[in-house]
Amino acid sequence: MEKKRAAGVLAPIFALPSGYSSGSFGRYAYEFIDILKAGGFSYWQVLPFTLPDCFHSPYASSSSFSLNPYFLDLEDLVERGLLTQSEIASAKEHTPTSCEYERLAEERLSLLTLAADRFDESARLEEFLSLHPYIEEYCRFEGLKAANGGVPWQQFETDIPDSRVYHTYAVLSYLFYEQWSALHAYANERGISLIGDLPIYVSLDSADVFFHPEFFALNEDGSPRGVAGVPPDYFSADGQKWGNPLYNWDKMKEDGFSFWRVRIRHMLSLFDGVRLDHFRGFDTYFDIPADAPNARDGVWREGARFAIIDALREEAGEGLLIAEDLGELFPSVEELLSYSGFPGMRVFAFAFDGDNSPHRPDLYPQNAVAYSGTHDNDTLMGFFSKLSDEKRAWIFRYCGYEGWDLREGCLAAMKTLYASAADLVVFPVQDLLFLGSDARFNTPGTAEGNWCFRITEEQMRSIDKEFFASLSAQYQR
């Protein structure tokens, strides 16, 4: 992807308006693209497209090749003759400011199963699955889970998948690709590039581990030898114990990193660029005892380092890869990032915790993507509201603002990011609306209340397009 100074917005699909309990690929997503273009933005970054776990996290899924069916545009399915207006009327949302996960879990899949039952383009479906064998494995895994009563794969008793469940997930994956491809083309035609998000790890109870156990560090019974996470840090005093199985990097290297090559090809079939979550795990990864209560007893181990980076670069070609290089980094991580050539991340919310922080906007390199905050941070307004008066005033002055108004302080911070040397600056959609802490996407280390926030139709249309377009023009983005 050609490098240029640009600005973008981080907005998960689930956070968009839709009318149907979760954001979707429907008409509001197209309108959002028009708003981005009018606002001088060139990039739209999303969160993972995978089916979320029971805590609604898109970073833990039953397959890294799964596609979240909640994103499907129901009105498009009516136009295709797969559902009726009366059938989707019952799916109308009650709370437009939050994802209605309980309703989705209870009602949406049964509605989509009706659509899948009516789908009769078998030749196209077979061609799609043959072109995407890892998606076919995911659909088969869902069929096997259903046939085995939903137990973890280590307890499967039958190897014959439920045919209707298999067919449903296959059709929904096909429809997902069709709808997203149309939206992707619409964005590109308007000069908007799309950035996806690739979690480094996969879930233990997943199609990835079930079909390819040799690539993971497992015991003979299929349990993990150790699990992934991070040590105590800014977000959590006990660290974070994610629970994902760790990779068998030696085996992956012998295989030429085929699993990772397919993941990158899959992502770049969906997006123009990819954020590589937890980049440091390619260099050194945190190995936590599976039975430990938290991450305090973990140890650092060496990852695949240069070999995996060579494979990723070769597979990506001209596609943009962004390295999420946050947290406490060893010199070896910085060495690997330099070797990769990938832009790293800078986060304004981390810029003022010490002297000469690499997150300070005046120290940004050109080859970087700068954020006001990530999906794990508080909003910019929330960040400022929680600071002491003294520290807030200091940061405001750093940004060239001498007053006390929080909104004006946020504007000054955004202008500072626009003016920085970083090639790309990205703002979570909440920051374009100057929303507070109740609008954050996720609070790391907590299980409840995350991944729910949505903007309303009125909020989306209230984004000050002219103001942000003027900033892009002023700072040549």
Side-chain angles (χ1 to χ4, degrees), residues 72-372:
L72 287 170
D73 175 22
L74 297 182
E75 292 172 358
D76 174 70
L77 300 186
V78 171
E79 291 180 12
R80 292 170 182 260
L82 299 177
L83 293 174
T84 67
Q85 282 289 354
S86 61
E87 286 168 341
I88 71 168
S90 63
K92 283 285 188 181
E93 65 194 24
H94 301 150
T95 311
T97 57
S98 180
C99 289
E100 299 175 333
Y101 285 116
E102 280 193 26
R103 286 192 67 205
L104 289 167
E106 292 171 3
E107 304 169 11
R108 186 58 53 87
L109 192 57
S110 60
L111 181 63
L112 294 174
T113 298
L114 281 179
D117 288 343
R118 294 166 184 161
F119 184 86
D120 59 4
E121 300 179 57
S122 57
R124 287 190 178 184
L125 184 61
E126 288 177 14
E127 180 184 15
F128 171 78
L129 294 175
S130 68
L131 290 172
H132 302 90
Y134 275 69
I135 292 179
E136 192 280 332
E137 285 184 351
Y138 157 65
C139 300
R140 200 161 10 122
F141 183 74
E142 292 292 350
L144 286 166
K145 288 281 283 187
N148 285 280
V151 299
W153 63 261
Q154 295 91 339
Q155 300 172 31
F156 282 2
E157 294 182 356
T158 178
D159 58 1
I160 301 173
D162 182 301
S163 58
R164 190 184 187 204
V165 171
Y166 171 85
H167 177 75
T168 294
Y169 279 95
V171 170
L172 298 183
S173 297
Y174 170 83
L175 293 170
F176 186 108
Y177 251 79
E178 287 241 312
Q179 289 189 2
W180 174 249
S181 295
L183 187 64
H184 189 174
Y186 185 85
N188 286 173
E189 288 165 4
R190 282 149 186 80
I192 306 296
S193 297
L194 302 171
I195 299 174
D197 195 327
L198 181 60
I200 187 172
Y201 292 118
V202 305
S203 296
L204 177 62
D205 191 21
S206 67
D208 308 291
V209 183
F210 176 71
F211 286 108
H212 306 281
E214 68 276 13
F215 295 146
F216 299 89
L218 304 176
N219 296 310
E220 288 188 8
D221 63 358
S223 62
R225 288 188 222 147
V227 296
V230 290
D233 61 7
Y234 171 91
F235 289 117
S236 174
D238 286 330
Q240 298 176 49
K241 183 185 176 187
W242 300 332
N244 311 81
L246 300 169
Y247 290 116
N248 182 340
W249 284 120
D250 290 339
K251 185 67 177 179
M252 284 192 156
K253 186 174 182 179
E254 288 175 17
D255 179 69
F257 301 101
S258 63
F259 179 73
W260 274 98
R261 289 177 180 274
V262 173
R263 290 188 87 189
I264 291 296
R265 285 202 298 273
H266 169 70
M267 291 295 289
L268 290 176
S269 74
L270 294 167
F271 305 102
D272 303 300
V274 182
R275 189 192 84 120
L276 299 171
D277 184 54
H278 198 59
F279 176 85
R280 73 151 308 136
F282 296 122
D283 176 79
T284 40
Y285 61 92
F286 206 54
D287 184 345
I288 304 167
D291 58 355
N294 54 49
R296 289 182 177 273
D297 294 331
V299 296
W300 289 107
R301 302 192 189 280
E302 186 172 294
R305 306 205 73 226
F306 301 107
I308 182 66
I309 296 303
D310 288 341
L312 295 177
R313 283 194 306 202
E314 181 180 349
E315 212 56 56
E318 295 299 311
L320 171 67
L321 298 182
I322 300 169
E324 188 267 285
D325 57 336
L326 305 178
E328 294 292 329
L329 302 182
F330 301 153
S332 59
V333 183
E334 297 170 356
E335 177 190 28
L336 190 66
L337 179 61
S338 176
Y339 174 81
S340 75
F342 305 156
M345 290 176 56
R346 299 293 184 269
V347 181
F348 182 86
F350 299 154
F352 307 99
D353 293 331
D355 295 335
N356 298 318
S357 166
H359 296 282
R360 237 177 57 187
D362 60 295
L363 299 178
Y364 290 170
Q366 182 179 346
N367 189 34
V369 182
Y371 295 79
S372 53

Side-chain angles (χ1 to χ4, degrees), residues 30-45:
Y30 286 84
E31 184 177 345
F32 185 65
I33 289 169
D34 292 338
I35 290 170
L36 293 181
K37 178 177 174 57
F41 297 104
S42 304
Y43 288 86
W44 177 9
Q45 182 176 330

Side-chain angles (χ1 to χ4, degrees), residues 7-10 41 370-373 413-414 417-418 425-429 431-432:
V9 175
L10 169 62
F41 297 104
Y371 295 79
S372 53
M414 286 192 270
L417 289 174
Y418 268 95
V425 295
V426 177
F427 303 94
V429 67
D431 289 350
L432 304 188

